[in-house]
Amino acid sequence: DGGITQSPKYLFRKEGQNVTLSCEQNLNHDAMYWYRQDPGQGLRLIYYSQIVNDFQKGDIAEGYSVSREKKESFPLTVTSAQKNPTAFYLCASSGTSGGGTQYFGPGTRLLVL
Amino acid sequence: GQQVMQIPQYQHVQEGEDFTTYCNSSTTLSNIQWYKQRPGGHPVFLIQLVKSGEVKKQKRLTFQFGEAKKNSSLHITATQTTDVGTYFCAGLADSSYKLIFGSGTRLLVRP
C-alpha cells in the first residue's frame, strides 16, 4: 500500500448528500491525486495537487471538491452536484510532481442509496 | 488532448500460454509506466520505461518502449493463475504533469 491509507473502505450516500473521502500518506510525497474507476474501466483523474495549498482540476472535476491544507492529507468531497457518484475512488501520491511513480491507497467504494 | 489507447480490453488464456498487451499514445511520451490491479484491489506499480527502444524484464514479464516513444508493450511468458488482473499502462507526455492511464487489459487465466 506504500503508506497511503483511505477511509472508509465502503461508503453509502443518500441522494442530495455531500460525503468526504479521506486520504492520508506518510511517504513525505509532494504530489497527490484522486482517481475515479468505474466497473471494468480505467482510471480517470478528478483532481491533483503538486504541493500544499495548491491543486488543479483533472479531467472529471465537476461535482467534486478537494483541499490540501497539509502535505499528508488530500480529502475529496463528493457533492450533491455529482449526479452519478457510484464508483471506486482511488487516491495516489508520488514523490515528484511530474509523472513519477504513483503509489495507490486501497480505495473507497462509494454507493448511492 | 493526449490519449493513451490500450488493447485488447480482455484476454482469456489457458495457463502456460503467453499474453501480450499493447499501449499506444497520441503524443510522444517522456516515460511510460505499467501497473497491475488484482481483482478487488488497487493498482500497483510494476515498472517505468524512459529510453527509446528500452526493454526491461521482470522474471516472466518483458516490457518494451517503442523507438518513437509513442507505444509500449507488456508480454508475459507462460502465464500462471497469479497473473490474473488488469494491466494498465500510463504515459507522461513531454511538458506535462499528469500521467494518462490507458483503459487497461483484463487478463483471465484458466487453470
Side-chain angles (χ1 to χ4, degrees):
Chain A
D1 295 348
I4 299 180
T5 58
Q6 289 185 245
S7 61
K9 186 173 183 179
Y10 298 95
L11 185 59
F12 300 92
R13 192 192 93 167
K14 295 181 181 179
E15 294 278 352
Q17 188 179 45
N18 292 356
V19 292
T20 298
L21 283 58
S22 169
C23 178
E24 304 279 333
Q25 54 100 357
N26 61 4
L27 300 168
N28 200 34
H29 284 171
D30 285 318
M32 297 186 74
Y33 311 82
W34 274 106
Y35 293 92
R36 170 178 172 145
Q37 186 176 36
D38 293 285
Q41 303 296 314
L43 306 176
R44 292 187 290 168
L45 184 64
I46 305 172
Y47 269 98
Y48 65 103
S49 169
Q50 295 176 270
I51 199 167
V52 175
N53 293 320
D54 186 48
F55 50 83
Q56 287 82 39
K57 293 182 179 180
D59 301 314
I60 55 166
E62 185 175 352
Y64 301 97
S65 66
V66 293
S67 63
R68 186 86 188 275
E69 298 177 1
K70 298 187 299 182
K71 187 175 186 178
E72 304 79 20
S73 180
F74 191 40
L76 172 75
T77 297
V78 184
T79 75
S80 57
Q82 172 49 243
K83 297 306 179 187
N84 185 23
T86 296
F88 187 39
Y89 290 88
L90 288 158
C91 178
S93 71
S94 66
T96 57
S97 57
T101 301
Q102 294 194 8
Y103 297 88
F104 286 83
T108 293
R109 294 190 185 277
L110 175 62
L111 182 64
V112 174
L113 300 176
Chain B
Q2 181 198 358
Q3 291 187 350
V4 175
M5 309 298 292
Q6 194 172 350
I7 57 170
Q9 188 175 9
Y10 299 98
Q11 188 82 54
H12 200 175
V13 301
Q14 185 71 41
E15 188 173 19
E17 292 181 338
D18 293 355
F19 159 78
T20 305
T21 174
Y22 301 90
C23 194
N24 288 284
S25 170
S26 57
T27 58
T28 303
L29 301 172
S30 58
N31 75 55
I32 193 157
Q33 300 173 24
W34 285 91
Y35 293 78
K36 176 183 179 181
Q37 184 177 24
R38 294 184 183 274
H42 57 276
V44 175
F45 174 78
L46 293 176
I47 209 160
Q48 176 174 283
L49 304 171
V50 179
K51 299 177 183 177
S52 170
E54 188 171 13
V55 178
K56 287 188 176 180
K57 292 190 176 184
Q58 289 180 350
K59 298 183 179 178
R60 295 178 293 103
L61 278 60
T62 301
F63 304 84
Q64 292 188 329
F65 200 9
E67 294 290 341
K69 300 184 73 174
K70 295 180 73 174
N71 59 76
S72 181
S73 65
L74 159 58
H75 180 82
I76 301 178
T77 303
T79 54
Q80 300 175 359
T81 54
T82 54
D83 295 325
V84 165
T86 301
Y87 293 85
F88 292 98
C89 61
L92 179 71
D94 291 336
S95 70
S96 173
Y97 291 100
K98 297 185 300 180
L99 275 180
I100 305 297
F101 280 81
S103 54
T105 296
R106 185 178 176 187
L107 173 63
L108 303 171
V109 180
R110 290 189 299 269

